Amino acid sequence: MVTRLRALLFDLDGTLLPFHHERFMKGYFQKLVPAVAEVVDPERIVGQIWQATEAMIGNEEPALTNEEAFRRAFFTATGYPEAPVWERFTWFYETVFPELAALTEPTPVAREICQTALDKGYLVVLATNPIFPDAAVRHRMRWAGIDDIPFALVTTMEHMHYCKPNPKYYVEILERLDLAPYECMMIGNDVQEDGVAGQLGMETFLVTDCLIDRGVGHLEFTHRGTLEDVLRFVQGLPVRPETGRRANTVPDH
């Protein structure tokens, strides 16, 4: 089997970490609102967060990280004092957010996929939508059992400048790792957010276990199947030892 692939990009939520998206987000806000109620308006905070998140996702200013775009939109719109509110958000992610692990359904298949890819010499990238801070991503990596996997890059809001489904999110990954689109495969469960990578020339694998499809647009995937099917696909890939050496040396920021 001959392949041009050098890197496998994995989504996290609903892919390497299976869970029901709506149930998780409901639980997330049920935990968040009381945790920050002392420094915000608890009746309005959910809508305010969604509004700022939408502004962050729509940001096209390359000089702004996603965190900076969110903070600008959020604090400009709400007028909240930035330092104490952000400190409270940080506290929430460090101490309360881990309780949401109960809403996820981790599987050892996720780790087996990543480790198999590494053993065969491929770069592995955790291409999770960077709308969450590093602490929240690291917690979810631990829940999934992949926190010690040497990912070439883990995308978080602190250092990325675009979000899915903006194609520039994928371009930024390619530029950071000096990769061409045809050398990559994006593996994820979201038709719109992950499928857009195919428009750049990446191969794509739609994971159907926790499928999200908003019914907007028509995006073709190179492959589709369950997470078990992803494992079988990776097991069938040829070995690339020269890439394997690099996979353990590229920093995640």
Side-chain angles (χ1 to χ4, degrees), residues 191-211:
V191 171
Q192 285 72 36
E193 292 188 354
D194 302 319
V196 71
Q199 296 179 345
L200 297 176
M202 291 189 192
E203 292 190 45
T204 50
F205 199 125
L206 180 63
V207 181
T208 56
D209 302 81
C210 303
L211 182 67

Side-chain angles (χ1 to χ4, degrees), residues 72-86:
R72 183 178 69 175
F74 182 76
F75 290 108
T76 298
T78 63
Y80 294 140
E82 186 165 350
V85 172
W86 200 255

Side-chain angles (χ1 to χ4, degrees), residues 166-231:
N166 191 333
K168 293 178 182 178
Y169 163 77
Y170 293 101
V171 172
E172 184 170 5
I173 292 175
L174 294 173
E175 291 176 346
R176 282 174 177 262
L177 299 180
D178 191 25
L179 292 165
Y182 65 82
E183 295 177 309
C184 302
M185 174 181 285
M186 179 61 206
I187 301 167
N189 68 306
D190 192 305
V191 171
Q192 285 72 36
E193 292 188 354
D194 302 319
V196 71
Q199 296 179 345
L200 297 176
M202 291 189 192
E203 292 190 45
T204 50
F205 199 125
L206 180 63
V207 181
T208 56
D209 302 81
C210 303
L211 182 67
I212 296 176
D213 185 358
R214 299 165 189 80
V216 179
H218 180 71
L219 297 169
E220 295 288 345
F221 283 79
T222 316
H223 308 271
R224 66 173 59 212
T226 66
L227 202 60
E228 291 278 0
D229 292 325
V230 175
L231 175 58

Side-chain angles (χ1 to χ4, degrees), residues 236-248:
L237 288 174
V239 174
R240 294 187 61 98
E242 73 284 358
T243 312
R245 291 193 296 272
R246 184 183 174 197
N248 291 292

Side-chain angles (χ1 to χ4, degrees), residues 95-178:
T95 62
V96 181
F97 187 85
E99 297 174 12
L100 294 171
L103 300 179
T104 66
E105 303 171 15
T107 170
V109 175
R111 181 179 182 84
E112 189 174 359
I113 290 170
C114 295
Q115 191 60 58
T116 300
L118 284 170
D119 291 345
K120 286 175 172 283
Y122 293 85
L123 287 171
V124 291
V125 176
L126 194 63
T128 181
N129 203 4
I131 62 174
F132 281 105
D134 184 82
V137 175
R138 299 294 170 177
H139 284 310
R140 301 200 314 280
M141 290 171 67
R142 280 191 287 274
W143 304 344
I146 57 172
D147 52 306
D148 60 339
I149 293 290
F151 289 100
L153 179 68
V154 176
T155 58
T156 67
M157 71 186 305
E158 287 91 343
H159 68 277
M160 295 298 289
H161 299 79
Y162 303 99
C163 301
K164 300 176 184 179
N166 191 333
K168 293 178 182 178
Y169 163 77
Y170 293 101
V171 172
E172 184 170 5
I173 292 175
L174 294 173
E175 291 176 346
R176 282 174 177 262
L177 299 180
D178 191 25

Side-chain angles (χ1 to χ4, degrees), residues 48-103:
Q48 291 168 336
I49 288 175
W50 277 122
Q51 184 178 15
T53 300
E54 290 173 1
M56 173 179 62
I57 292 173
N59 176 59
E60 290 284 348
E61 295 185 41
L64 291 179
T65 64
N66 291 342
E67 178 186 328
E68 291 167 341
F70 178 90
R71 291 175 74 145
R72 183 178 69 175
F74 182 76
F75 290 108
T76 298
T78 63
Y80 294 140
E82 186 165 350
V85 172
W86 200 255
E87 181 180 347
R88 194 65 176 175
F89 280 148
T90 300
W91 173 84
F92 165 78
Y93 282 114
E94 292 175 349
T95 62
V96 181
F97 187 85
E99 297 174 12
L100 294 171
L103 300 179

